[in-house]
């Protein structure tokens, strides 16, 4: 039996369609590998079966690797905890007062983690206009401390 380019294309489309039934998001890469083999086989129709299988294996592995390495980024995770080190020590200005351990709002001169205003808490009461320094990030809230006059 001679395997033609459209056999690979059909297999690729079946595997891509199977992804709709089995939502693993891995079968699609094997389907795309089969589509690549169909393109190569349409250009070089005398390719042996072993070469076709090698191209399919390599293409599928490369697509799968690329997906997990470069494109599969979790968008539902906050960057606050993972970027904590870049934020600690930054200074800002209190724009919404807060009592001890209550939430206020601090505004930064430059945006931190994509925003220039953040909810904040402190061990001491905060008044509007107080200068504060970030000491920790707790979820989506900055833990701050007042800066004494003359401190930077």
């Amino acid at each position: 039996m001679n395997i033609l380019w459209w056999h690979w294309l059909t297999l690729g489309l079946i595997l891509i369609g199977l992804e709709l039934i089995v939502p693993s998001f891995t079968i699609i890469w094997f389907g795309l590998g089969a589509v690549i083999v169909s393109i190569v086989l349409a250009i070089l129709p005398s390719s042996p079966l072993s070469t076709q299988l090698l191209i399919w294996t390599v293409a599928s592995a490369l697509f799968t690797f690329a997906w997990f390495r470069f494109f599969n980024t979790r968008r539902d995770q906050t960057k606050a905890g993972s970027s904590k080190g870049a934020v600690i020590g930054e200074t800002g200005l209190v724009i919404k007062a807060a009592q001890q351990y209550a939430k206020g709002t601090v505004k930064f001169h430059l945006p931190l983690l994509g925003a220039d205003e953040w909810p904040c808490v402190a061990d001491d009461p905060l008044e509007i206009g107080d200068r504060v320094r970030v000491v920790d990030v707790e979820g989506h809230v900055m833990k701050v401390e007042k800066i004494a006059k003359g401190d930077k």
Side-chain angles (χ1 to χ4, degrees), residues 47-149:
S47 298
L49 180 61
S50 60
T51 303
Q52 295 172 33
L53 291 173
L54 178 66
I55 293 170
W56 179 61
T57 304
V58 170
S60 299
L62 287 175
F63 280 130
T64 304
F65 174 77
W67 166 252
F68 285 108
R69 177 72 171 113
F70 301 111
F71 301 113
N72 186 18
T73 56
R74 300 222 15 175
R75 303 210 193 309
D76 59 343
Q77 290 179 334
T78 179
K79 292 183 171 67
S82 63
S83 299
K84 186 187 299 191
V87 175
I88 294 178
E90 292 293 326
T91 59
L93 186 68
V94 175
I95 59 172
K96 179 182 171 197
Q99 296 302 317
Q100 185 177 19
Y101 303 116
K103 283 186 188 175
T105 304
V106 62
K107 182 173 179 85
F108 296 97
H109 179 66
L110 296 173
L112 298 179
L113 303 175
D116 59 350
E117 293 182 9
W118 281 88
C120 66
V121 294
D123 293 339
D124 301 315
L126 299 174
E127 300 296 325
I128 294 175
D130 284 346
R131 298 216 10 101
V132 293
R133 177 182 301 118
V134 178
V135 294
D136 198 7
V137 179
E138 297 174 351
H140 70 286
V141 177
M142 303 279 183
K143 184 165 184 185
V144 297
E145 66 181 6
K146 283 186 188 180
I147 299 176
K149 295 203 187 273

Side-chain angles (χ1 to χ4, degrees), residues 2-5 39-48 52:
N2 192 13
I3 297 180
L4 302 174
W5 68 269
I39 293 170
V40 169
L41 201 54
I43 296 169
L44 303 168
S46 62
S47 298
Q52 295 172 33

